[in-house]
Amino acid sequence: MGFEIREARDSDRETLISFVQGLNAVEAEIRDDRDPSPKAAERHLDYLLSLVEEQEGFVLVADKEGTPIGFLLGLYGEEDGFFCKPGHRQHGWISDLYIHPDYRRQGVANLLLGAAGQRYLQAGFSSMRISTLAENEAAIETYHRYGFKDLYRAFEIKLSD
């Protein structure tokens, strides 16, 4: 395969912006509320990196022969309220996952998810979560193939055009 998973570096910034923009573009094909512009991607990456810093999360990059081809942003989640039993409230949270189109369906997402899962296990979590748009069938298929099970369903109704 020749894929390597590593920590993101400061020098990856422009690549990460392009990956966030790519993810936004995929979602813009599904929903008209997504902004696939470079400026939106840069602002969103800055927001995500602030969450990583606050939560001591992580950003992993997948490389193929030294070229970044995808990324995963991992955070630490916790259920709000007290409806979950103690020990079940905290979980690993995959905020963003993107693979360059040329490298999809080659196991890169599995490698990134596996590396994130190991981090969460080391942190003492027993579960990892990820979400996607309901219409993003490719992502849903990938997550189900990896072993994720549906947990919640969110519903939306447009109140105005």
Side-chain angles (χ1 to χ4, degrees):
M1 276 198 226
F3 301 119
E4 175 192 352
I5 305 302
R6 64 170 174 80
E7 290 284 331
R9 303 185 269 257
D10 291 341
S11 61
D12 291 320
R13 180 172 173 76
E14 292 304 314
T15 300
L16 292 175
I17 291 170
S18 74
F19 288 165
V20 171
Q21 185 178 5
L23 182 55
N24 289 349
V26 167
E27 291 187 350
E29 292 289 320
I30 298 170
R31 289 187 58 101
D32 64 359
D33 65 348
R34 298 305 198 256
D35 183 352
S37 71
K39 189 65 175 168
E42 182 176 14
R43 290 182 64 209
H44 191 60
L45 178 64
D46 288 341
Y47 165 73
L48 293 171
L49 293 176
S50 74
L51 294 177
V52 167
E53 187 173 325
E54 283 174 25
Q55 296 184 23
E56 298 179 16
F58 54 90
V59 181
L60 300 176
V61 171
D63 278 346
K64 169 114 175 136
E65 299 171 359
T67 300
I69 59 169
F71 88 110
L72 177 149
L73 191 136
L75 301 170
Y76 300 96
E78 186 169 328
E79 291 288 353
D80 294 330
F82 298 95
F83 60 90
C84 285
K85 296 176 183 177
H88 295 275
R89 293 182 64 211
Q90 295 179 319
H91 54 269
W93 175 251
I94 305 301
S95 167
D96 290 81
L97 173 63
Y98 177 80
I99 310 301
H100 187 280
D102 293 344
Y103 297 95
R104 292 182 185 156
R105 301 189 76 74
Q106 297 182 36
V108 180
N110 286 354
L111 292 172
L112 284 164
L113 289 166
Q118 286 302 312
R119 288 189 175 234
Y120 292 134
L121 277 173
Q122 290 172 357
F125 299 140
S126 60
S127 68
M128 178 169 70
R129 297 180 184 178
I130 193 166
S131 65
T132 189
L133 295 175
E135 296 90 357
N136 191 341
E137 293 178 18
I140 293 166
E141 180 183 318
T142 297
Y143 304 151
H144 282 165
R145 247 191 346 267
Y146 188 80
F148 285 94
K149 304 290 183 222
D150 291 348
L151 179 63
Y152 294 113
R153 291 196 178 207
F155 299 91
E156 176 183 58
I157 186 169
K158 298 285 185 181
L159 300 175
S160 65
D161 291 334

Short mmCIF file of all heavy atoms in Angstrom, two decimals, residues 1 34 36 49 53 60-61 77 110 118 122 124:
data_model
loop_
_atom_site.label_atom_id
_atom_site.label_comp_id
_atom_site.label_asym_id
_atom_site.label_seq_id
_atom_site.Cartn_x
_atom_site.Cartn_y
_atom_site.Cartn_z
N MET A 1 0.82 -1.20 0.00
CA MET A 1 0.00 0.00 0.00
C MET A 1 0.86 1.26 0.00
O MET A 1 0.58 2.18 -0.74
CB MET A 1 -0.92 0.01 1.21
CG MET A 1 -2.19 -0.74 1.04
SD MET A 1 -3.36 -0.22 2.28
CE MET A 1 -3.94 -1.79 2.83
N ARG A 34 -23.72 24.53 2.41
CA ARG A 34 -22.28 24.41 2.60
C ARG A 34 -21.54 25.42 1.73
O ARG A 34 -21.92 25.67 0.59
CB ARG A 34 -21.80 22.99 2.26
CG ARG A 34 -22.40 21.90 3.14
CD ARG A 34 -22.14 22.20 4.62
NE ARG A 34 -22.31 21.05 5.47
CZ ARG A 34 -23.35 20.83 6.24
NH1 ARG A 34 -24.36 21.68 6.27
NH2 ARG A 34 -23.42 19.77 7.01
N PRO A 36 -18.12 26.01 -0.06
CA PRO A 36 -16.88 25.35 -0.47
C PRO A 36 -15.74 26.31 -0.83
O PRO A 36 -14.77 25.89 -1.43
CB PRO A 36 -17.33 24.53 -1.69
CG PRO A 36 -18.39 25.37 -2.31
CD PRO A 36 -19.11 26.03 -1.14
N LEU A 49 -8.96 23.57 14.64
CA LEU A 49 -7.68 23.52 15.35
C LEU A 49 -7.79 24.12 16.74
O LEU A 49 -7.10 23.68 17.66
CB LEU A 49 -6.58 24.20 14.53
CG LEU A 49 -6.21 23.49 13.23
CD1 LEU A 49 -5.18 24.29 12.45
CD2 LEU A 49 -5.73 22.06 13.48
N GLU A 53 -6.86 22.15 20.18
CA GLU A 53 -6.01 22.71 21.25
C GLU A 53 -6.75 22.69 22.59
O GLU A 53 -6.18 22.26 23.59
CB GLU A 53 -5.60 24.13 20.90
CG GLU A 53 -4.61 24.70 21.88
CD GLU A 53 -4.08 26.06 21.44
OE1 GLU A 53 -3.92 26.27 20.22
OE2 GLU A 53 -3.84 26.89 22.33
N LEU A 60 -4.48 13.77 12.38
CA LEU A 60 -3.65 12.77 11.73
C LEU A 60 -3.68 12.99 10.22
O LEU A 60 -4.72 13.38 9.67
CB LEU A 60 -4.16 11.36 12.04
CG LEU A 60 -4.19 10.96 13.51
CD1 LEU A 60 -4.82 9.58 13.66
CD2 LEU A 60 -2.80 11.01 14.10
N VAL A 61 -2.56 12.75 9.59
CA VAL A 61 -2.45 12.90 8.14
C VAL A 61 -2.03 11.55 7.56
O VAL A 61 -1.15 10.88 8.11
CB VAL A 61 -1.41 13.99 7.77
CG1 VAL A 61 -1.13 14.01 6.28
CG2 VAL A 61 -1.89 15.36 8.25
N GLY A 77 -15.30 13.53 23.13
CA GLY A 77 -16.70 13.89 23.32
C GLY A 77 -17.23 13.39 24.64
O GLY A 77 -16.69 12.48 25.26
N ASN A 110 -9.68 3.49 6.65
CA ASN A 110 -9.54 2.46 7.69
C ASN A 110 -8.26 2.66 8.50
O ASN A 110 -8.25 2.48 9.72
CB ASN A 110 -9.53 1.07 7.07
CG ASN A 110 -10.91 0.63 6.61
OD1 ASN A 110 -11.91 1.32 6.84
ND2 ASN A 110 -10.97 -0.49 5.95
N GLN A 118 -6.89 3.62 18.29
CA GLN A 118 -5.81 3.30 19.23
C GLN A 118 -5.59 4.43 20.22
O GLN A 118 -5.38 4.20 21.41
CB GLN A 118 -4.52 2.99 18.47
CG GLN A 118 -4.53 1.65 17.79
CD GLN A 118 -4.75 0.51 18.79
OE1 GLN A 118 -4.12 0.43 19.82
NE2 GLN A 118 -5.70 -0.36 18.46
N GLN A 122 -6.10 4.21 24.29
CA GLN A 122 -5.05 4.62 25.22
C GLN A 122 -5.54 5.68 26.19
O GLN A 122 -5.05 5.78 27.32
CB GLN A 122 -3.83 5.12 24.46
CG GLN A 122 -3.10 4.01 23.74
CD GLN A 122 -2.00 4.52 22.82
OE1 GLN A 122 -1.81 5.72 22.66
NE2 GLN A 122 -1.28 3.59 22.19
N GLY A 124 -8.45 5.66 27.41
CA GLY A 124 -9.40 5.02 28.31
C GLY A 124 -10.84 5.00 27.81
O GLY A 124 -11.75 4.62 28.56
#
